[in-house]
Amino acid sequence: MSLEPVTIIARIAPKAGRTSQLREVLVAMVAPTNREAGCVVYNLHEHPGEDGLTFSFYEVWLSQVALDEHMKTAHVQGFINRLEELVEGEIEIERIRLLTDS
């Protein structure tokens, strides 16, 4: 496994009528995730738009190993168990790479 940093943008759309519940679950994941050893940044954002509100996480992890460990945590697994109930469609996950460090 690579030990280079991993940066993720994850976009999440709530099911109709589930925005408040989804927001609550996502907000509850921020603090415990930011305490994880391999987490550099884990920020939650809202995107109001013409198609309704969506959420996104901007995440930076020390390595793929750290991200893999994050996915095993109780707070992430609790969210995964509620995907069908709260999330419309698939979560869009985009890996991005920092080009400059200035």
Side-chain angles (χ1 to χ4, degrees):
M1 287 265 164
S2 172
L3 292 180
E4 69 181 49
V6 175
T7 304
I8 302 286
I9 297 174
R11 293 187 185 273
I12 306 161
K15 281 194 172 179
R18 297 299 187 149
T19 302
S20 295
Q21 294 93 340
L22 179 58
R23 179 187 293 112
E24 184 178 307
V25 169
L26 297 178
V27 167
M29 293 190 342
V30 174
T33 298
N34 276 305
R35 289 191 296 268
E36 292 177 40
C39 181
V40 177
V41 173
Y42 192 78
N43 293 328
L44 176 62
H45 303 266
E46 284 188 344
H47 304 269
E50 291 179 18
D51 296 334
L53 185 73
T54 59
F55 300 95
S56 69
F57 281 107
Y58 173 77
E59 312 173 26
V60 180
W61 297 91
L62 290 176
S63 66
Q64 183 63 48
V65 171
L67 177 57
D68 292 345
E69 289 302 311
H70 164 67
M71 296 305 293
K72 297 176 190 175
T73 62
H75 48 277
V76 172
Q77 290 301 308
F79 171 59
I80 289 171
N81 289 336
R82 297 190 68 191
L83 284 177
E84 188 174 322
E85 168 194 354
L86 300 174
V87 175
E88 184 66 43
E90 298 289 320
I91 296 174
E92 296 176 31
I93 299 175
E94 180 179 8
R95 292 176 81 107
I96 59 175
R97 188 174 309 154
L98 181 65
L99 293 180
T100 60
D101 200 12
S102 55

XYZ file of all heavy atoms in Angstrom:
806
model
N 0.834 -1.194 0.000
C 0.000 0.000 0.000
C 0.872 1.247 0.000
O 1.897 1.287 0.646
C -0.884 0.040 1.240
C -2.017 -0.914 1.279
S -3.494 -0.098 0.691
C -4.483 -1.524 0.406
N 0.390 2.246 -0.697
C 1.101 3.509 -0.793
C 0.987 4.294 0.516
O -0.039 4.286 1.170
C 0.504 4.328 -1.939
O 1.038 5.621 -1.931
N 2.079 4.976 0.864
C 2.063 5.822 2.047
C 1.999 7.304 1.691
O 2.255 8.158 2.517
C 3.287 5.532 2.915
C 3.292 4.155 3.557
C 4.545 3.966 4.398
C 2.065 3.930 4.414
N 1.643 7.619 0.454
C 1.475 9.022 0.084
C 0.089 9.493 0.508
O -0.847 8.702 0.634
C 1.693 9.227 -1.413
C 0.631 8.619 -2.287
C 0.924 8.827 -3.761
O 2.036 8.555 -4.201
O -0.009 9.267 -4.465
N -0.056 10.802 0.747
C -1.366 11.326 1.165
C -2.459 11.042 0.139
O -2.194 10.966 -1.060
C -1.121 12.829 1.279
C 0.357 12.969 1.450
C 0.966 11.833 0.689
N -3.673 10.890 0.637
C -4.838 10.636 -0.199
C -5.838 11.758 0.069
O -6.180 12.027 1.223
C -5.475 9.270 0.135
C -6.760 9.063 -0.651
C -4.490 8.139 -0.096
N -6.295 12.413 -1.004
C -7.283 13.486 -0.876
C -8.544 13.069 -1.623
O -8.480 12.624 -2.762
C -6.734 14.804 -1.454
O -5.510 15.120 -0.794
C -7.725 15.933 -1.254
N -9.666 13.227 -0.949
C -10.966 12.774 -1.457
C -11.961 13.919 -1.380
O -11.989 14.672 -0.410
C -11.520 11.619 -0.577
C -10.572 10.436 -0.530
C -12.936 11.227 -0.974
C -10.526 9.612 -1.767
N -12.812 14.010 -2.397
C -14.028 14.816 -2.321
C -15.179 13.840 -2.517
O -15.239 13.140 -3.528
C -14.070 15.921 -3.383
C -12.922 16.906 -3.167
C -15.426 16.637 -3.349
C -12.791 17.945 -4.244
N -16.047 13.759 -1.526
C -17.208 12.863 -1.586
C -18.475 13.714 -1.585
O -18.656 14.555 -0.704
C -17.200 11.915 -0.404
N -19.325 13.521 -2.594
C -20.585 14.268 -2.705
C -21.754 13.331 -2.388
O -21.813 12.215 -2.901
C -20.746 14.848 -4.092
C -19.727 15.914 -4.405
C -20.030 16.580 -5.742
N -19.000 17.512 -6.094
C -18.973 18.784 -5.707
N -19.936 19.256 -4.956
N -17.989 19.572 -6.075
N -22.684 13.859 -1.586
C -23.778 13.042 -1.076
C -25.088 13.819 -1.238
O -25.207 14.951 -0.766
C -23.548 12.713 0.413
C -22.167 12.071 0.601
C -24.658 11.823 0.949
C -21.650 12.119 2.014
N -26.069 13.201 -1.871
C -27.383 13.819 -2.054
C -28.394 13.127 -1.141
O -28.483 11.901 -1.129
C -27.831 13.697 -3.512
N -29.175 13.907 -0.396
C -30.183 13.301 0.474
C -31.410 12.855 -0.309
O -31.750 13.433 -1.341
C -30.550 14.439 1.427
C -30.286 15.679 0.646
C -29.130 15.360 -0.268
N -32.051 11.817 0.195
C -33.363 11.452 -0.342
C -34.354 12.548 0.023
O -34.176 13.264 1.016
C -33.827 10.116 0.257
C -33.171 8.931 -0.382
C -33.885 7.652 -0.009
C -33.286 6.531 -0.851
N -33.895 5.244 -0.559
N -35.403 12.663 -0.763
C -36.444 13.654 -0.497
C -36.978 13.477 0.917
O -37.271 12.359 1.344
C -37.574 13.513 -1.516
N -37.045 14.567 1.649
C -37.570 14.532 3.008
C -36.585 14.045 4.046
O -36.938 13.940 5.224
N -35.345 13.752 3.652
C -34.351 13.201 4.585
C -33.145 14.110 4.803
O -32.160 13.709 5.405
C -33.852 11.838 4.084
C -34.906 10.768 4.014
C -35.466 10.508 5.391
N -36.368 9.380 5.371
C -36.542 8.577 6.392
N -35.898 8.781 7.512
N -37.379 7.580 6.302
N -33.230 15.349 4.336
C -32.077 16.250 4.429
C -31.640 16.459 5.874
O -30.447 16.379 6.185
C -32.389 17.601 3.759
O -32.735 17.355 2.394
C -31.212 18.547 3.838
N -32.561 16.737 6.764
C -32.212 16.998 8.168
C -31.568 15.781 8.823
O -30.574 15.915 9.542
C -33.443 17.413 8.970
O -33.921 18.645 8.502
N -32.134 14.612 8.567
C -31.576 13.394 9.159
C -30.180 13.108 8.609
O -29.276 12.733 9.358
C -32.480 12.179 8.902
C -33.807 12.258 9.599
C -34.889 12.874 8.706
O -34.623 13.559 7.719
N -36.128 12.641 9.082
N -29.997 13.303 7.301
C -28.687 13.071 6.708
C -27.678 14.065 7.263
O -26.559 13.687 7.632
C -28.750 13.157 5.182
C -27.417 12.946 4.458
C -26.804 11.596 4.783
C -27.607 13.109 2.952
N -28.054 15.339 7.345
C -27.163 16.356 7.905
C -26.720 15.961 9.311
O -25.538 16.043 9.651
C -27.830 17.725 7.935
C -26.922 18.809 8.533
C -27.616 20.154 8.726
N -27.947 20.756 7.447
C -29.193 20.921 7.001
N -30.226 20.505 7.719
N -29.411 21.491 5.833
N -27.655 15.511 10.129
C -27.357 15.115 11.504
C -26.336 13.971 11.545
O -25.375 14.008 12.325
C -28.656 14.690 12.195
C -28.506 14.340 13.647
C -29.852 13.974 14.252
O -30.801 14.780 14.118
O -29.943 12.888 14.851
N -26.521 12.970 10.706
C -25.596 11.828 10.666
C -24.215 12.276 10.186
O -23.187 11.879 10.759
C -26.158 10.703 9.759
C -25.119 9.639 9.491
C -27.408 10.097 10.391
N -24.177 13.104 9.150
C -22.886 13.553 8.608
C -22.137 14.440 9.597
O -20.928 14.274 9.790
C -23.102 14.285 7.281
C -23.703 13.459 6.147
C -23.900 14.331 4.909
C -22.871 12.228 5.832
N -22.837 15.367 10.229
C -22.203 16.234 11.228
C -21.625 15.404 12.371
O -20.526 15.678 12.862
C -23.197 17.303 11.741
C -22.683 17.997 12.991
C -23.493 18.325 10.649
N -22.345 14.365 12.776
C -21.881 13.516 13.878
C -20.596 12.749 13.537
O -19.883 12.309 14.441
C -22.984 12.536 14.278
N -20.286 12.614 12.266
C -19.064 11.896 11.871
C -17.822 12.789 11.895
O -16.700 12.294 11.935
C -19.221 11.302 10.466
C -20.242 10.202 10.417
S -20.312 9.238 8.895
C -19.507 10.158 7.658
N -17.998 14.106 11.886
C -16.863 15.022 11.730
C -15.891 14.948 12.913
O -14.690 14.748 12.719
C -17.345 16.463 11.475
C -16.177 17.435 11.468
C -18.112 16.532 10.152
N -16.362 15.136 14.119
C -15.466 15.175 15.279
C -14.700 13.866 15.479
O -13.473 13.895 15.613
C -16.228 15.565 16.544
N -15.373 12.710 15.483
C -14.598 11.479 15.678
C -13.611 11.210 14.545
O -12.519 10.675 14.764
C -15.643 10.370 15.786
C -16.921 10.943 15.298
C -16.810 12.429 15.429
N -13.980 11.605 13.332
C -13.069 11.387 12.209
C -11.836 12.269 12.341
O -10.712 11.813 12.128
C -13.780 11.641 10.873
O -14.850 10.708 10.747
C -12.824 11.470 9.702
N -12.028 13.525 12.725
C -10.882 14.418 12.881
C -9.947 13.988 14.003
O -8.788 14.410 14.028
C -11.344 15.865 13.076
C -11.613 16.550 11.756
O -10.755 16.587 10.885
N -12.817 17.077 11.591
N -10.399 13.123 14.900
C -9.543 12.590 15.963
C -8.777 11.338 15.529
O -7.897 10.873 16.261
C -10.369 12.277 17.208
C -10.863 13.517 17.927
C -11.449 13.201 19.295
N -12.638 12.367 19.227
C -13.892 12.819 19.178
N -14.117 14.121 19.186
N -14.915 11.992 19.144
N -9.101 10.778 14.366
C -8.414 9.573 13.907
C -6.954 9.893 13.590
O -6.631 10.958 13.058
C -9.104 9.009 12.665
C -10.491 8.457 12.957
C -11.187 7.967 11.712
O -10.528 7.354 10.848
O -12.402 8.214 11.593
N -6.081 8.951 13.910
C -4.632 9.159 13.782
C -4.213 9.551 12.369
O -3.335 10.385 12.201
C -3.893 7.902 14.225
N -4.804 8.981 11.347
C -4.376 9.236 9.974
C -5.096 10.362 9.272
O -4.850 10.635 8.100
N -5.982 11.066 9.978
C -6.764 12.143 9.370
C -5.991 13.454 9.436
O -5.561 13.885 10.504
C -8.101 12.290 10.088
S -9.143 13.586 9.397
N -5.836 14.099 8.288
C -5.222 15.426 8.215
C -6.324 16.480 8.197
O -6.281 17.448 8.949
C -4.324 15.551 6.964
C -3.746 16.953 6.846
C -3.229 14.498 6.972
N -7.331 16.283 7.345
C -8.463 17.201 7.209
C -9.714 16.381 6.911
O -9.676 15.466 6.088
C -8.239 18.199 6.042
C -9.479 19.032 5.786
C -7.042 19.085 6.281
N -10.819 16.730 7.555
C -12.107 16.109 7.271
C -13.168 17.182 7.477
O -13.591 17.457 8.597
C -12.337 14.920 8.209
C -13.487 14.021 7.846
C -13.373 13.085 6.830
C -14.689 14.079 8.541
C -14.419 12.228 6.508
C -15.743 13.229 8.229
C -15.595 12.310 7.218
O -16.638 11.459 6.902
N -13.538 17.858 6.401
C -14.474 18.979 6.460
C -15.757 18.639 5.722
O -15.715 18.126 4.614
C -13.860 20.228 5.822
C -12.690 20.768 6.611
O -12.651 20.648 7.828
N -11.736 21.358 5.928
N -16.885 18.997 6.330
C -18.203 18.799 5.744
C -18.707 20.129 5.189
O -18.595 21.168 5.844
C -19.173 18.280 6.802
C -20.626 18.105 6.389
C -20.772 17.079 5.271
C -21.462 17.705 7.613
N -19.272 20.086 3.984
C -19.792 21.282 3.324
C -21.217 21.025 2.841
O -21.572 19.903 2.519
C -18.936 21.638 2.102
C -17.502 21.846 2.435
N -16.978 23.080 2.700
C -16.485 20.963 2.560
C -15.691 22.959 2.968
N -15.369 21.687 2.889
N -22.021 22.119 2.762
C -23.345 22.079 2.145
C -23.278 22.814 0.821
O -22.595 23.839 0.713
C -24.379 22.799 3.012
C -24.825 22.033 4.201
C -25.984 22.727 4.913
O -26.238 23.932 4.676
O -26.628 22.055 5.711
N -24.023 22.308 -0.162
C -24.096 22.933 -1.477
C -25.556 23.178 -1.836
O -26.232 22.287 -2.342
C -23.482 22.026 -2.556
C -22.086 21.628 -2.292
N -21.011 22.337 -2.749
C -21.584 20.587 -1.595
C -19.908 21.743 -2.363
N -20.228 20.694 -1.659
N -26.078 24.375 -1.549
C -27.440 24.662 -1.999
C -27.435 24.870 -3.519
O -26.521 25.500 -4.042
C -27.807 25.949 -1.268
C -26.530 26.511 -0.741
C -25.490 25.451 -0.795
N -28.387 24.280 -4.195
C -28.438 24.421 -5.645
C -29.847 24.310 -6.168
O -30.785 24.065 -5.415
N -29.975 24.466 -7.465
C -31.289 24.402 -8.104
C -31.933 23.031 -7.933
O -33.148 22.912 -7.890
C -31.150 24.733 -9.587
C -30.793 26.174 -9.848
C -30.627 26.468 -11.321
O -31.098 25.676 -12.162
O -30.019 27.499 -11.634
N -31.118 21.994 -7.853
C -31.634 20.630 -7.694
C -31.785 20.236 -6.228
O -32.008 19.080 -5.919
C -30.721 19.632 -8.406
C -30.693 19.851 -9.900
O -31.680 20.383 -10.438
O -29.687 19.502 -10.534
N -31.633 21.180 -5.321
C -31.730 20.891 -3.900
C -30.366 20.896 -3.236
O -29.339 21.113 -3.870
N -30.357 20.664 -1.968
C -29.152 20.683 -1.159
C -28.388 19.373 -1.298
O -28.982 18.293 -1.286
C -29.539 20.897 0.304
C -28.409 21.052 1.292
C -27.751 22.416 1.111
C -28.936 20.930 2.705
N -27.081 19.470 -1.449
C -26.213 18.298 -1.366
C -25.118 18.598 -0.354
O -24.919 19.744 0.062
C -25.581 17.922 -2.723
O -24.809 19.024 -3.199
C -26.636 17.546 -3.748
N -24.423 17.563 0.047
C -23.336 17.682 1.006
C -22.063 17.156 0.367
O -22.103 16.320 -0.545
C -23.630 16.837 2.260
C -24.885 17.249 2.969
C -26.082 16.608 2.721
C -24.861 18.280 3.901
C -27.249 16.985 3.374
C -26.021 18.669 4.557
C -27.210 18.014 4.298
N -20.930 17.623 0.858
C -19.668 17.024 0.434
C -18.681 17.036 1.585
O -18.734 17.895 2.471
C -19.073 17.739 -0.787
O -18.635 19.027 -0.445
N -17.818 16.051 1.558
C -16.682 15.994 2.462
C -15.429 16.276 1.658
O -15.277 15.771 0.540
C -16.531 14.601 3.096
C -17.470 14.342 4.230
C -18.546 13.496 4.075
C -17.271 14.945 5.460
C -19.407 13.240 5.125
C -18.132 14.709 6.523
C -19.197 13.846 6.355
N -14.545 17.101 2.214
C -13.199 17.278 1.688
C -12.312 16.593 2.712
O -12.291 16.973 3.884
C -12.848 18.759 1.554
C -11.403 18.984 1.172
C -10.979 18.782 -0.139
C -10.463 19.365 2.119
C -9.657 18.966 -0.493
C -9.142 19.558 1.769
C -8.740 19.358 0.466
O -7.428 19.542 0.120
N -11.604 15.549 2.275
C -10.839 14.710 3.188
C -9.388 14.603 2.726
O -9.137 14.418 1.545
C -11.400 13.287 3.222
C -12.885 13.206 3.392
C -13.412 11.783 3.259
O -12.660 10.815 3.523
O -14.575 11.635 2.872
N -8.469 14.702 3.670
C -7.066 14.419 3.398
C -6.600 13.414 4.442
O -6.770 13.627 5.648
C -6.190 15.689 3.441
C -4.732 15.339 3.147
C -6.698 16.745 2.469
N -6.015 12.323 3.952
C -5.534 11.233 4.798
C -4.038 11.064 4.590
O -3.524 11.300 3.496
C -6.276 9.932 4.432
C -7.737 10.082 4.701
C -8.698 10.511 3.841
C -8.381 9.876 5.949
N -9.904 10.581 4.475
C -9.740 10.195 5.773
C -7.940 9.459 7.197
C -10.661 10.104 6.802
C -8.859 9.356 8.216
C -10.207 9.673 8.020
N -3.345 10.651 5.640
C -1.896 10.455 5.539
C -1.524 9.391 4.521
O -0.460 9.449 3.915
C -1.300 10.088 6.899
C -1.274 11.208 7.937
C -0.750 10.676 9.263
C -0.443 12.381 7.450
N -2.428 8.411 4.335
C -2.140 7.306 3.414
C -3.424 6.556 3.098
O -4.452 6.758 3.755
C -1.149 6.334 4.065
O -1.756 5.703 5.187
N -3.355 5.674 2.133
C -4.484 4.799 1.820
C -4.796 3.899 3.011
O -5.959 3.606 3.288
C -4.191 3.961 0.569
C -5.354 3.078 0.158
C -6.599 3.851 -0.224
O -6.521 4.805 -0.999
N -7.750 3.475 0.313
N -3.773 3.491 3.724
C -3.973 2.655 4.923
C -4.836 3.403 5.935
O -5.767 2.833 6.510
C -2.616 2.237 5.540
C -2.803 1.560 6.880
C -1.840 1.340 4.584
N -4.548 4.679 6.151
C -5.342 5.485 7.094
C -6.795 5.597 6.632
O -7.716 5.479 7.443
C -4.724 6.869 7.248
N -7.003 5.798 5.334
C -8.363 5.867 4.790
C -9.080 4.534 4.954
O -10.252 4.491 5.351
C -8.336 6.295 3.327
C -9.683 6.346 2.601
C -10.674 7.253 3.304
C -9.480 6.781 1.156
N -8.384 3.444 4.693
C -8.979 2.111 4.862
C -9.397 1.879 6.311
O -10.475 1.321 6.571
C -8.003 1.021 4.417
C -7.739 1.028 2.920
O -8.514 1.668 2.167
O -6.745 0.402 2.500
N -8.581 2.315 7.263
C -8.923 2.167 8.680
C -10.136 3.025 9.033
O -10.995 2.609 9.809
C -7.729 2.527 9.565
C -6.615 1.489 9.513
C -7.079 0.104 9.933
O -7.727 -0.027 11.004
O -6.813 -0.859 9.182
N -10.213 4.211 8.462
C -11.365 5.095 8.681
C -12.662 4.397 8.259
O -13.672 4.483 8.960
C -11.160 6.386 7.884
C -12.385 7.207 7.712
N -13.012 7.845 8.759
C -13.107 7.515 6.591
C -14.071 8.506 8.301
N -14.146 8.321 6.987
N -12.630 3.725 7.138
C -13.827 3.067 6.623
C -14.332 1.948 7.540
O -15.486 1.564 7.468
C -13.574 2.525 5.215
C -13.275 3.610 4.187
S -14.558 4.889 4.083
C -15.909 3.930 3.421
N -13.484 1.466 8.438
C -13.850 0.389 9.373
C -14.398 0.909 10.697
O -14.869 0.126 11.511
C -12.622 -0.481 9.671
C -12.064 -1.195 8.466
C -10.794 -1.932 8.864
C -10.056 -2.468 7.656
N -8.758 -3.072 8.042
N -14.349 2.218 10.925
C -14.757 2.769 12.221
C -16.273 2.644 12.426
O -17.041 2.563 11.472
C -14.352 4.251 12.349
O -15.025 5.002 11.333
C -12.837 4.427 12.252
N -16.663 2.691 13.684
C -18.086 2.563 14.028
C -18.914 3.698 13.433
O -20.035 3.468 12.961
C -18.253 2.525 15.542
N -18.381 4.931 13.425
C -19.175 6.052 12.900
C -19.375 5.936 11.393
O -20.444 6.261 10.892
C -18.591 7.415 13.303
C -17.142 7.590 13.092
N -16.202 7.153 13.996
C -16.451 8.157 12.083
C -15.001 7.456 13.557
N -15.121 8.057 12.392
N -18.399 5.443 10.669
C -18.577 5.257 9.224
C -19.506 4.072 8.960
O -20.401 4.160 8.118
C -17.227 5.082 8.507
C -17.427 4.686 7.051
C -16.411 6.358 8.596
N -19.324 2.993 9.673
C -20.181 1.829 9.480
C -21.635 2.145 9.820
O -22.548 1.678 9.145
C -19.673 0.640 10.304
C -18.369 0.055 9.778
C -18.489 -0.436 8.352
O -19.382 -1.203 8.018
N -17.594 0.036 7.491
N -21.852 2.985 10.845
C -23.210 3.414 11.173
C -23.843 4.192 10.031
O -25.022 4.011 9.713
N -23.051 5.054 9.378
C -23.537 5.794 8.212
C -23.819 4.845 7.058
O -24.872 4.933 6.415
C -22.511 6.860 7.808
C -22.809 7.524 6.499
C -24.003 8.201 6.292
C -21.902 7.473 5.463
C -24.282 8.816 5.075
C -22.163 8.085 4.248
C -23.358 8.751 4.056
N -22.918 3.943 6.792
C -23.104 2.977 5.704
C -24.396 2.180 5.903
O -25.129 1.937 4.951
C -21.874 2.053 5.575
C -20.696 2.868 5.013
C -22.170 0.837 4.709
C -19.365 2.150 5.042
N -24.690 1.832 7.137
C -25.911 1.078 7.431
C -27.186 1.882 7.163
O -28.263 1.307 7.049
C -25.906 0.591 8.875
C -24.901 -0.508 9.103
O -24.508 -1.222 8.182
N -24.438 -0.624 10.330
N -27.057 3.205 7.043
C -28.232 4.059 6.810
C -28.278 4.631 5.394
O -29.147 5.451 5.083
C -28.263 5.182 7.832
C -28.426 4.616 9.258
C -28.691 5.666 10.270
N -30.006 6.265 10.063
C -30.404 7.367 10.691
N -29.620 7.970 11.547
N -31.615 7.870 10.458
N -27.358 4.221 4.523
C -27.307 4.770 3.165
C -28.635 4.650 2.441
O -29.129 5.626 1.871
C -26.218 4.069 2.340
C -24.782 4.459 2.615
C -23.837 3.620 1.766
C -24.553 5.927 2.371
N -29.200 3.475 2.429
C -30.439 3.237 1.679
C -31.569 4.130 2.177
O -32.374 4.622 1.401
C -30.841 1.767 1.783
C -31.989 1.408 0.878
C -32.277 -0.082 0.874
O -31.323 -0.882 0.917
O -33.470 -0.425 0.845
N -31.595 4.373 3.462
C -32.639 5.192 4.082
C -32.466 6.690 3.792
O -33.450 7.414 3.619
C -32.585 4.957 5.603
C -33.375 5.904 6.439
C -33.008 5.829 7.918
O -32.211 4.954 8.323
O -33.515 6.673 8.657
N -31.205 7.170 3.733
C -30.941 8.606 3.719
C -30.400 9.182 2.420
O -30.569 10.365 2.159
C -29.941 8.953 4.835
C -30.360 8.635 6.255
C -29.213 8.897 7.212
C -31.590 9.441 6.647
N -29.718 8.370 1.616
C -28.958 8.884 0.476
C -29.626 8.523 -0.842
O -30.009 7.373 -1.072
C -27.508 8.350 0.514
C -26.733 8.776 -0.716
C -26.809 8.821 1.777
N -29.729 9.540 -1.716
C -30.281 9.353 -3.058
C -29.149 8.967 -4.005
O -28.171 9.701 -4.146
C -30.933 10.653 -3.533
C -31.615 10.542 -4.869
C -32.815 9.609 -4.827
O -33.605 9.668 -3.870
O -32.964 8.824 -5.781
N -29.285 7.820 -4.623
C -28.276 7.387 -5.593
C -26.964 7.000 -4.934
O -26.903 6.695 -3.748
N -25.922 7.050 -5.742
C -24.587 6.682 -5.277
C -23.864 7.901 -4.708
O -24.081 9.024 -5.149
C -23.752 6.139 -6.449
C -24.312 4.877 -7.074
C -24.151 3.670 -6.174
O -23.089 3.548 -5.529
O -25.095 2.856 -6.119
N -22.988 7.666 -3.766
C -22.096 8.717 -3.297
C -21.011 8.886 -4.358
O -20.395 7.911 -4.777
C -21.467 8.356 -1.940
C -22.567 8.250 -0.877
C -20.405 9.381 -1.545
C -22.081 7.768 0.471
N -20.810 10.110 -4.802
C -19.767 10.385 -5.790
C -18.452 10.592 -5.044
O -18.363 11.475 -4.188
C -20.084 11.642 -6.588
C -21.328 11.549 -7.428
C -21.629 12.866 -8.122
O -20.679 13.612 -8.448
O -22.820 13.146 -8.309
N -17.456 9.787 -5.372
C -16.155 9.889 -4.714
C -15.111 10.207 -5.766
O -14.959 9.480 -6.749
C -15.802 8.595 -3.959
C -16.844 8.345 -2.871
C -14.389 8.690 -3.386
C -16.695 7.047 -2.140
N -14.421 11.318 -5.535
C -13.392 11.764 -6.467
C -12.069 11.884 -5.713
O -11.992 12.522 -4.668
C -13.795 13.125 -7.031
C -12.833 13.700 -8.013
C -13.296 15.045 -8.547
O -14.290 15.608 -8.051
O -12.629 15.538 -9.465
N -11.054 11.229 -6.241
C -9.699 11.361 -5.680
C -9.000 12.482 -6.442
O -9.024 12.506 -7.657
C -8.932 10.058 -5.844
C -9.480 8.936 -5.012
C -8.737 7.650 -5.289
N -7.500 7.611 -4.572
C -7.270 6.850 -3.508
N -8.202 6.050 -3.062
N -6.113 6.867 -2.896
N -8.407 13.392 -5.697
C -7.684 14.484 -6.333
C -6.246 14.490 -5.796
O -5.956 13.905 -4.755
C -8.378 15.847 -6.101
C -8.493 16.177 -4.610
C -9.732 15.865 -6.769
C -9.054 17.548 -4.327
N -5.369 15.147 -6.537
C -3.948 15.180 -6.176
C -3.468 16.621 -6.129
O -3.704 17.385 -7.066
C -3.136 14.393 -7.201
C -1.703 14.202 -6.811
C -0.971 13.295 -7.764
N -1.728 12.052 -7.942
C -1.662 11.293 -9.002
N -0.872 11.599 -10.001
N -2.369 10.187 -9.081
N -2.786 16.989 -5.052
C -2.218 18.311 -4.893
C -1.040 18.480 -5.860
O -0.143 17.639 -5.895
C -1.745 18.494 -3.450
C -1.127 19.834 -3.079
C -2.171 20.946 -3.188
C -0.550 19.760 -1.685
N -1.062 19.549 -6.639
C 0.022 19.787 -7.603
C 1.099 20.691 -7.046
O 2.263 20.562 -7.388
C -0.531 20.387 -8.892
C -1.416 19.471 -9.714
C -1.894 20.202 -10.971
C -0.674 18.201 -10.096
N 0.713 21.647 -6.191
C 1.697 22.540 -5.596
C 1.480 22.581 -4.094
O 0.388 22.306 -3.609
C 1.581 23.973 -6.141
O 0.296 24.467 -5.839
C 1.811 24.002 -7.646
N 2.507 22.931 -3.400
C 2.439 22.963 -1.944
C 2.741 24.379 -1.446
O 3.351 24.560 -0.428
C 3.424 21.965 -1.370
C 3.081 21.586 0.058
O 1.979 21.914 0.510
O 3.912 20.953 0.720
N 2.315 25.388 -2.212
C 2.638 26.765 -1.839
C 1.463 27.494 -1.265
O 0.366 27.161 -1.335
C 3.170 27.539 -3.026
O 2.259 27.470 -4.105
